[in-house]
Amino acid sequence: GYGDIGPQNMVETVVCTFMVVISGMSWVVVLGEVCGIITKMKPDEQMFRDSMDELNYMMQDRVVPKEMRQQLRSFFLSKKSAQRRERHREIIGAMSPGLQG
């Protein structure tokens, strides 16, 4: 409802509290599963983001000049594309000659 009707005695209060707790726990499980599915959808992208985060932390710790930071980020972005192409070649190499097309 809209909150205008509430539990009238102790038994109803306990039942309502129990239902709210169970509903909250169910919602947590659903959200956790959805987040897990989204995270696993693009593992390559997640690995790249983790690498970029580590690169940024390292550059900050070592006080790397701005121009060098841009070059390093550009290099890692190019490396990402090259690694994806290499994985594609490996997948195609694992196929039979007829499927390689």
Side-chain angles (χ1 to χ4, degrees):
Y2 296 101
D4 54 346
I5 300 174
Q8 300 299 315
N9 57 42
M10 186 58 111
V11 174
E12 291 178 358
T13 302
V14 169
V15 169
C16 287
T17 302
F18 180 73
M19 290 174 63
V20 168
V21 169
I22 294 299
S23 298
M25 290 181 354
S26 298
W27 187 238
V28 166
V29 169
V30 169
L31 286 178
E33 289 296 319
V34 169
C35 290
I37 290 169
I38 290 172
T39 300
K40 292 178 183 175
M41 286 176 68
K42 295 186 176 183
D44 295 338
E45 185 67 27
Q46 187 62 42
M47 285 175 28
F48 172 73
R49 288 181 184 195
D50 290 344
S51 296
M52 291 302 287
D53 287 344
E54 288 299 318
L55 175 66
N56 287 327
Y57 293 138
M58 181 197 74
M59 290 188 300
Q60 184 178 2
D61 289 345
R62 295 181 177 218
V63 192
V64 176
K66 185 176 180 179
E67 287 183 18
M68 180 59 78
R69 289 178 188 218
Q70 292 172 341
Q71 289 176 350
L72 288 167
R73 288 184 186 119
S74 177
F75 170 77
F76 273 85
L77 190 58
S78 297
K79 181 181 166 189
K80 174 186 173 187
S81 299
Q83 287 176 334
R84 180 178 294 145
R85 284 190 302 272
E86 180 60 33
R87 279 191 303 280
H88 290 177
R89 278 191 286 267
E90 290 173 6
I91 291 170
I92 291 171
M95 295 178 190
S96 68
L99 292 175
Q100 289 181 4

